[in-house]
Amino acid sequence: MGRITRLPDDLANQIAAGEVVERPASVVKELIENAIDAGATRIAITVEYGGKKLIRVEDDGTGMDPEDARLCLERHATSKISKADDLGAIVTLGFRGEALPSMASVSHFKLRTRARGSDSGTEIRVNAGIVESVVEAGGPEGTMVDVADVFYNLPARRKFLKSDGAEAAQVSRVVTQLALCYPEVGFTLTSSGKKILAVPPVTSVSDRLYQIYGDRQDLIAVEREFGGLRLHGFIAALAEQGPVRGPQHVFVNRRIVKDRTIAHAIIDSYSVATNKERSPEVHLFLEIPPDRVDVNVHPTKAEVRFREQSLVHEMVRRALGDALGKGPAPELTLRSSEIQPGRPLQPAIPGALAGGSFPSRWAPPSSNPPSSWASPVETPPASSGAAIDAPAPSSVPAVRPMIALGQFRDTFIIAMDDEGLCIIDQHVAHERVLFERIMEKLTSASLESQRLLIPAVLELPAAERAALLSKADALARFGFEVEEFGGDSIKVTSMPALLPPNECDAALRALADDLEGLDRGLRLEDALKQIAATTACHAAVKAHYPLTLEKMHHILEELRATAYSTVCPHGRPVMLRITRREIEKNFDRI
Ligand SMILES: Nc1ncnc2c1ncn2[C@@H]1O[C@H](COP(=O)(O)OP(=O)(O)OP(=O)(O)O)[C@@H](O)[C@H]1O
Ligand SMILES: [Mg+2]
């Protein structure tokens, strides 16, 4: 007698529900995705008690006829794929035929639907996976699903739900993400009677961003097409002095995903220009032919697998890197003694705007000619002979040639170009320039070192001493030679040539402090960057230090040649700009 039995459907569904339905927000996500797949133009979401009591999603999509309405609650019943080949190029958000039966097996569930053009609709009630009733019912064209008392029959799962507020916040996040990605669809979200979001349909992502987040001139547009891939969206600028964290929304083929390759490329592109640790706000949309990405790799479809992972990484990194390099210097607004008219008030709840049209406030995205970068995977045309990929040209410098006019308080260089006046922090600017130079020379192993006539001896606390000595190899690449000297001391026999001798002591103390504070598992690359930043900081001209005009010109010219010249390696701004327009406006010339 065998011991294996087939599980009854309702139990199989509950098991599947364990994967698909984690919390109210996952139910909301599945229902919205179904509505989008059904061609809805308006989707209304209502939740009570963070969705624990009720989740209702109504749409004006195609609806279902009575037969489909019954079928959609069966496991593996889907209208979206029908053969194995379809799995290779999925174009809908759903494809497994699992979401509805899963949620119906763990809740009090009601489906009301009416197919477009049909006289009447169908209403089906299901409790814990058991169909209670199927009746003909009225109602508008489209579909409404109620999922009430989620997990009421699985108390162990229900216990894992968080507070109503925390669950409501997750729901709101999911709705916001889907709303960002589907600007042509109108969304409303009502939570415990309060309208949280109301965004009518618009025609572009930038308009939708405006509806949700208000006017965000601080974000930079990204737009890049390469090798059949397209990346577009908006990202935080480097010079942004505000919070270093923000929402990170990454969409692949209009699907919210958490993708390590893309996340890594984002960190990489920001860390090229600044050491300041940040988790920048990004809203990025990657479009990739469906046969080059596998979406069937995660139970809630929150992850995807790229067939050409390194191509995606490289594309994202370069697109962001270039966009960041072009980020504007912060602009100073001149204030006249007149009272300025107040700025329009932001809506109390971002996105809670009623009706109306929302013209784009965004500057058109900077267009990069497709030839502005070459990927290592790009094949050169056959006629070019040698199969060597073209090196990537460096991005366009953000700074125009400027003429130094003088120095303010021996700390700031005042300069001008055709487009306005600039105030440059001499220390920060020089630090930026030296950082770039050090990193460049590090790559080509051409950093010069100077031997000290009399070795310097430094007393340091044990942890800092150990940190310096453990990174002695990395320090040697910069020209620092350090060794143990017994007791609390270390001996320094040489140091980078560009460091003024009287800075040696301070630089090494700062390095010891940096390296001690760094994570032990730190990548060598990050440690090198940290050492470069600290060395640059100590080698750079200081504030309150008089400069000749030549020296000022030199710093400006070097800065211009630097790809990322609007912030220092620690993320401080290099310069402030007063635009010509601002000056002319204040003198009533325009
Ligand atoms: N809002 C809706 N409007 C019209 N048809 C719908 C709607 N929701 C579901 N359906 C139909 O019911 C079927 C089953 O839905 P379900 O969400 O269970 O599976 P799926 O979307 O096909 O795949 P997945 O499990 O990956 O979401 C869908 O394929 C679709 O035909
Ligand atoms: Mg679905």
Side-chain angles (χ1 to χ4, degrees):
M1 173 76 180
R3 287 172 298 127
I4 300 176
T5 56
R6 271 178 215 282
L7 294 180
D9 267 0
D10 51 343
L11 184 53
N13 283 335
Q14 281 178 13
I15 293 168
E19 295 208 311
V20 178
V21 182
E22 197 190 337
R23 54 181 0 104
S26 33
V27 172
V28 169
K29 171 174 177 280
E30 293 293 338
L31 293 176
I32 296 177
E33 290 186 348
N34 278 349
I36 291 170
D37 280 345
T41 62
R42 302 241 169 204
I43 302 174
I45 303 109
T46 310
V47 292
E48 299 288 344
Y49 296 94
K52 291 182 199 168
K53 180 99 200 81
L54 175 73
I55 297 160
R56 169 173 293 173
V57 175
E58 298 163 85
D59 69 58
D60 63 352
T62 55
M64 286 177 267
D65 65 19
E67 193 190 342
D68 277 358
R70 280 170 193 269
L71 256 179
C72 76
L73 293 167
E74 290 190 14
R75 236 170 134 218
H76 306 308
T78 178
S79 58
K80 300 170 190 176
I81 58 170
S82 58
K83 52 185 188 308
D85 274 0
D86 297 343
L87 269 182
I90 289 167
V91 292
T92 47
L93 291 167
F95 55 89
R96 292 179 175 172
E98 265 185 350
L100 291 182
S102 297
M103 55 184 84
S105 73
V106 295
S107 66
H108 292 118
F109 179 95
K110 185 170 89 180
L111 166 78
R112 203 170 67 199
T113 185
R114 189 175 131 210
R116 275 187 199 154
S118 158
D119 291 340
S120 73
T122 313
E123 185 180 292
I124 303 183
R125 285 171 188 266
V126 185
N127 288 331
I130 313 288
V131 178
E132 296 287 319
S133 64
V134 182
V135 293
E136 197 179 321
E141 289 177 350
T143 301
M144 180 182 96
V145 176
D146 280 2
V147 176
D149 312 316
V150 66
F151 295 138
Y152 82 96
N153 56 336
L154 296 178
R157 292 295 301 269
R158 196 163 167 96
K159 263 198 283 189
F160 276 100
L161 297 182
K162 299 211 170 95
S163 68
D164 297 352
E167 294 295 343
Q170 299 252 22
V171 168
S172 163
R173 209 179 59 192
V174 162
V175 176
T176 304
Q177 289 174 332
L178 282 157
L180 259 181
C181 199
Y182 287 87
E184 72 276 30
V185 179
F187 287 83
T188 60
L189 168 62
T190 312
S191 177
S192 297
K194 259 202 279 175
K195 207 155 243 171
I196 303 294
L197 186 89
V199 287
V202 280
T203 49
S204 67
V205 166
S206 52
D207 288 350
R208 180 52 53 88
L209 257 164
Y210 177 65
Q211 289 177 319
I212 296 176
Y213 294 108
D215 199 356
R216 295 292 308 276
Q217 308 267 359
D218 55 321
L219 298 181
I220 312 175
V222 176
E223 171 79 61
R224 168 67 53 87
E225 270 180 59
F226 182 76
L229 276 59
R230 174 168 179 245
L231 182 75
H232 64 109
F234 296 92
I235 60 172
L238 279 177
E240 172 56 44
Q241 286 301 290
V244 289
R245 290 182 182 278
Q248 288 207 333
H249 295 145
V250 173
F251 305 89
V252 173
N253 289 354
R254 306 187 99 188
R255 211 181 266 288
I256 316 162
V257 297
K258 283 201 166 52
D259 183 72
R260 288 217 194 152
T261 306
I262 296 180
H264 188 263
I266 294 170
I267 294 175
D268 251 20
S269 39
Y270 277 84
S271 67
V272 163
T274 169
N275 263 338
K276 191 164 156 185
E277 202 180 301
R278 53 189 297 164
S279 163
E281 176 172 355
V282 304
H283 309 278
L284 286 173
F285 303 81
L286 179 70
E287 286 161 29
I288 175 166
D291 58 341
R292 289 163 66 181
V293 56
D294 190 355
V295 296
N296 188 18
V297 293
H298 189 268
T300 62
K301 304 166 193 137
E303 289 173 16
V304 294
R305 190 175 298 137
F306 296 111
R307 304 230 186 281
E308 306 125 309
Q309 212 167 323
S310 52
L311 170 68
V312 171
H313 186 277
E314 197 56 13
M315 171 180 196
V316 174
R317 198 178 62 78
R318 291 193 186 201
L320 265 58
D322 281 1
L324 290 173
K326 292 195 184 103
E331 284 176 11
L332 264 193
T333 308
L334 289 178
R335 279 178 216 294
S336 68
S337 47
E338 245 176 81
I339 295 160
Q340 301 281 330
R343 283 167 61 95
L345 286 175
Q346 290 287 328
I349 307 167
L353 308 167
S357 67
F358 299 87
S360 174
R361 297 286 195 89
W362 300 88
S366 56
S367 57
N368 302 315
S371 61
S372 69
W373 69 287
S375 156
V377 298
E378 193 179 24
T379 343
S383 61
S384 74
I388 305 164
D389 291 346
S394 60
S395 48
V396 184
V399 192
R400 289 174 265 255
M402 281 184 291
I403 301 164
L405 301 174
Q407 211 183 1
F408 176 61
R409 298 187 73 87
D410 289 346
T411 299
F412 303 101
I413 302 170
I414 311 296
M416 67 168 187
D417 62 19
D418 240 20
E419 287 308 312
L421 296 173
C422 272
I423 306 171
I424 294 127
D425 184 316
Q426 66 193 36
H427 171 70
V428 177
H430 197 208
E431 185 183 1
R432 169 86 256 171
V433 163
L434 290 177
F435 175 75
E436 292 290 327
R437 205 191 297 156
I438 293 172
M439 290 305 284
E440 232 175 72
K441 290 199 167 182
L442 195 63
T443 321
S444 57
S446 57
L447 260 173
E448 293 106 27
S449 115
Q450 54 182 323
R451 191 149 273 284
L452 299 177
L453 286 177
I454 307 161
V457 175
L458 245 76
E459 271 185 26
L460 287 169
E464 295 187 6
R465 225 166 45 235
L468 269 191
L469 292 169
S470 74
K471 290 278 181 300
D473 285 352
L475 288 166
R477 293 176 60 180
F478 288 86
F480 285 110
E481 265 174 46
V482 294
E483 57 196 68
E484 267 196 285
F485 194 60
D488 290 349
S489 309
I490 60 156
K491 187 167 86 172
V492 189
T493 48
S494 63
M495 63 175 205
L498 52 78
L499 208 59
N502 59 357
E503 278 294 321
C504 177
D505 189 287
L508 273 167
R509 283 181 196 282
L511 279 170
D513 189 42
D514 286 350
L515 295 174
E516 205 255 306
L518 287 178
D519 181 3
R520 270 175 224 295
L522 186 82
R523 290 185 310 168
L524 176 66
E525 214 179 291
D526 294 325
L528 292 179
K529 219 178 268 175
Q530 186 66 52
I531 298 172
T534 305
T535 309
C537 179
H538 284 270
V541 294
K542 301 266 175 302
H544 310 295
Y545 185 86
L547 296 175
T548 60
L549 265 183
E550 279 83 59
K551 181 77 186 169
M552 289 181 225
H553 275 300
H554 174 73
I555 292 178
L556 292 182
E557 272 310 294
E558 294 262 300
L559 188 61
R560 194 163 79 86
T562 309
Y564 300 101
S565 41
T566 56
V567 287
C568 84
H570 300 103
R572 281 195 288 165
V574 169
M575 67 169 75
L576 301 174
R577 218 177 153 73
I578 307 167
T579 60
R580 189 181 80 187
R581 201 185 139 71
E582 197 63 43
I583 297 169
E584 288 175 349
K585 207 169 72 196
N586 279 273
F587 282 112
D588 285 338
R589 289 200 171 270
I590 48 170

